[in-house]
Amino acid sequence: MRFLILLSLSFLFLTSCKEEKKSNNVITDKEITSENIKYAKGFSISYHENYTEIIVTSPWARSQEAFRYIIVDNVEAIPEFYESAVVIQRPVSKVVAMSTTNIPTLEYLKVDDRLVGFPSTKFISSEKTRARIDNGEIKDLNNDLEINMELFLDLQPDLVIAFTVNGKNKSLKQIEKFGIPVVIDGSWTEEHPLGRAEWIKFIAAFFNKKEEADKIFNEIETSYLEAKKLALNVKYKPVVFSGSMFNDVWNVPGGKSFVAKYLEDANTDYLWKNDPSNGSIQLNFENVLEKAHQAELWIGAGSFQTLEQMKNQHKGYSYFDAYKNKNIYTYTNKIGPKGGLLYYELGPLRPDIILKDIINIAHPELLENYENYFFKRLE
């Protein structure tokens, strides 16, 4: 009898110890708060007691898929449902980025020193990051569709910040097989310029830089809204059109696109403002000429450097009044040492600068002593 009593007490003791140990490692799923996302529609961030959860609902245009990312600071904090998500453990010390738009974000967050690899580094314009490329601190990984996997695996990155136009990137699938976390940046799918810039909060989460990202974005938002408010003071709206020919097709920004939003907030009369498309409209030359030949301003005419260059590519460009009056502006004012356009790299993060450029073009009397940063007038 004494033996049975002792055995029972021992069992109860061991069981209570196990339950106590288990209770010390229980990972709760309680959400503490969520990130205040004002303009971006493609992602959400929620903060839990032991982890951060990001859900990307717009990884590419018209996507039917969503991606779940779980960020933890130690492996014991991985929640039970982790198998349905990509887990990223902080600190993230080594990063491979796939888009030049990630470069300014990393620099603004002061984590650019963690970038170790990039496909086609020649397209990077930032002087700071180019210096690291020249010093051999950032390796060129060939291109985003055909990654140099041997070099990539030698780098052993903790995180890959990628993008995809349709979810069918073979290189990304290959990387995932090696167990290296890949996260999809879908900022390019946003319709509002500030929505694109707000994806800095997405990148910041992987580096535990929430406060820094909030401060940076709030400053950009304030600058943008102040410029927009200033443009509302004008009574006259110049008639504007945009785009250029590519393979016999004129890609015109749709009326709900981010380009149209810039033109609206700059208080201009965009000829395709009533179009419901949030991407580009594919038109032929005659369609555009008929509607826009008398327009006063042509803003965003591709990457041409001179009027002569435009005419040599397509004689029809010279039929527009904007061409005849030398009122054509392209975003080629800042070109990197290897030919990359800073507009594509920094522009998505700094929509306030783009808006001020367009306001200065459309209403030069508003911004005293302002010099365009991205846009230049063709001669």
Side-chain angles (χ1 to χ4, degrees):
M1 179 63 72
R2 182 181 296 176
F3 172 75
L4 291 174
I5 293 173
L6 289 172
L7 184 63
S8 298
L9 290 172
S10 298
F11 177 78
L12 288 170
F13 176 76
L14 290 171
T15 302
S16 64
C17 287
K18 288 182 179 179
E19 288 180 349
E20 182 180 354
K21 183 177 181 181
K22 182 179 180 181
S23 65
N24 288 337
N25 289 299
V26 167
I27 303 304
T28 63
D29 194 30
K30 182 180 178 182
E31 180 180 324
I32 299 175
T33 185
S34 60
E35 184 66 50
N36 179 24
I37 307 296
K38 299 180 181 180
Y39 303 90
K41 298 178 180 179
F43 76 100
S44 64
I45 303 177
S46 58
Y47 302 98
H48 300 250
E49 287 185 344
N50 300 285
Y51 63 91
T52 297
E53 179 184 46
I54 300 178
I55 297 178
V56 173
T57 53
S58 183
W60 56 85
R62 295 177 293 279
S63 171
Q64 299 300 310
E65 296 185 52
F67 293 87
R68 192 180 204 179
Y69 306 115
I70 301 298
I71 306 171
V72 298
D73 292 313
N74 61 77
V75 292
E76 294 181 354
I78 299 175
E80 293 181 356
F81 59 76
Y82 76 93
E83 291 184 357
S84 64
V86 176
V87 177
I88 298 93
Q89 185 175 348
R90 295 185 301 213
V92 173
S93 300
K94 293 191 291 183
V95 180
V96 165
M98 297 290 196
S99 172
T100 57
T101 60
N102 298 140
I103 303 303
T105 301
L106 295 175
E107 292 183 353
Y108 272 58
L109 292 171
K110 294 183 170 53
V111 292
D112 49 294
D113 59 329
R114 305 185 200 186
L115 183 66
V116 297
F118 189 92
S120 302
T121 56
K122 66 181 181 180
F123 292 116
I124 295 177
S125 301
S126 163
E127 292 182 8
K128 185 179 181 182
T129 298
R130 286 230 60 87
R132 294 192 63 232
I133 294 170
D134 295 340
N135 290 336
E137 299 172 54
I138 300 173
K139 304 299 181 184
D140 191 304
L141 299 173
N142 194 34
N143 66 67
D144 61 314
L145 297 178
E146 297 178 348
I147 295 290
N148 182 332
M149 291 305 298
E150 183 177 353
L151 179 55
F152 175 86
L153 292 174
D154 284 342
L155 295 175
Q156 284 296 298
D158 304 310
L159 178 68
V160 176
I161 304 172
F163 76 96
T164 175
V165 295
N166 54 18
K168 298 179 181 180
N169 190 308
K170 293 181 180 178
S171 293
L172 298 184
K173 299 294 184 185
Q174 194 174 3
I175 290 170
E176 289 170 346
K177 290 180 180 179
F178 288 103
I180 298 171
V182 175
V183 298
I184 305 297
D185 179 347
S187 58
W188 64 277
T189 66
E190 298 290 344
E191 296 175 14
H192 198 294
L194 285 171
R196 293 188 161 204
E198 199 164 19
W199 277 73
I200 190 174
K201 299 176 182 179
F202 169 81
I203 302 295
F206 302 108
F207 300 95
N208 201 20
K209 293 278 188 175
K210 169 180 163 49
E211 291 183 3
E212 292 88 340
D214 287 346
K215 183 175 184 295
I216 292 166
F217 177 75
N218 289 340
E219 291 174 353
I220 292 170
E221 178 194 25
T222 298
S223 176
Y224 186 99
L225 295 179
E226 286 178 350
K228 176 183 175 180
K229 184 178 180 180
L230 181 65
L232 290 175
N233 294 325
V234 300
K235 294 182 179 180
Y236 179 71
K237 297 182 179 183
V239 178
V240 177
F241 72 110
S242 186
S244 58
M245 297 287 291
F246 182 75
N247 290 339
D248 296 325
V249 174
W250 195 308
N251 293 288
V252 174
K256 300 300 180 183
S257 67
F258 72 95
V259 174
K261 185 61 179 172
Y262 277 126
L263 297 173
E264 175 190 346
D265 289 348
N267 210 1
T268 69
D269 183 11
Y270 177 49
L271 286 172
W272 277 269
K273 61 180 180 293
N274 294 323
D275 178 86
S277 305
N278 56 18
S280 294
I281 319 163
Q282 281 72 48
L283 301 175
N284 60 40
F285 175 81
E286 289 74 18
N287 293 147
V288 179
L289 180 63
E290 180 181 3
K291 189 168 186 173
H293 71 280
Q294 291 184 322
E296 298 159 82
L297 297 173
W298 184 348
I299 302 175
S303 56
F304 294 105
Q305 293 289 338
T306 65
L307 292 173
E308 187 66 24
Q309 185 185 14
M310 287 189 72
K311 188 175 180 180
N312 289 339
Q313 189 197 74
H314 197 294
K315 184 181 179 180
Y317 287 148
S318 64
Y319 301 160
F320 291 87
D321 285 357
Y323 184 97
K324 298 172 184 176
N325 297 325
K326 297 183 179 180
N327 280 329
I328 300 179
Y329 295 82
T330 64
Y331 32 74
T332 57
N333 199 37
K334 295 278 192 306
I335 301 177
K338 300 292 184 179
L341 292 178
L342 196 62
Y343 173 85
Y344 291 128
E345 183 171 308
L346 179 60
L349 182 61
R350 294 303 307 269
D352 56 320
I353 300 177
I354 294 177
L355 180 60
K356 288 178 182 178
D357 276 9
I358 296 174
I359 290 173
N360 193 48
I361 293 168
H363 313 290
E365 72 281 1
L366 291 181
L367 296 169
E368 189 175 355
N369 298 322
Y370 181 86
E371 293 185 8
N372 284 355
Y373 190 83
F374 293 116
F375 286 84
K376 77 171 186 178
R377 185 177 186 171
L378 296 189
E379 298 293 342

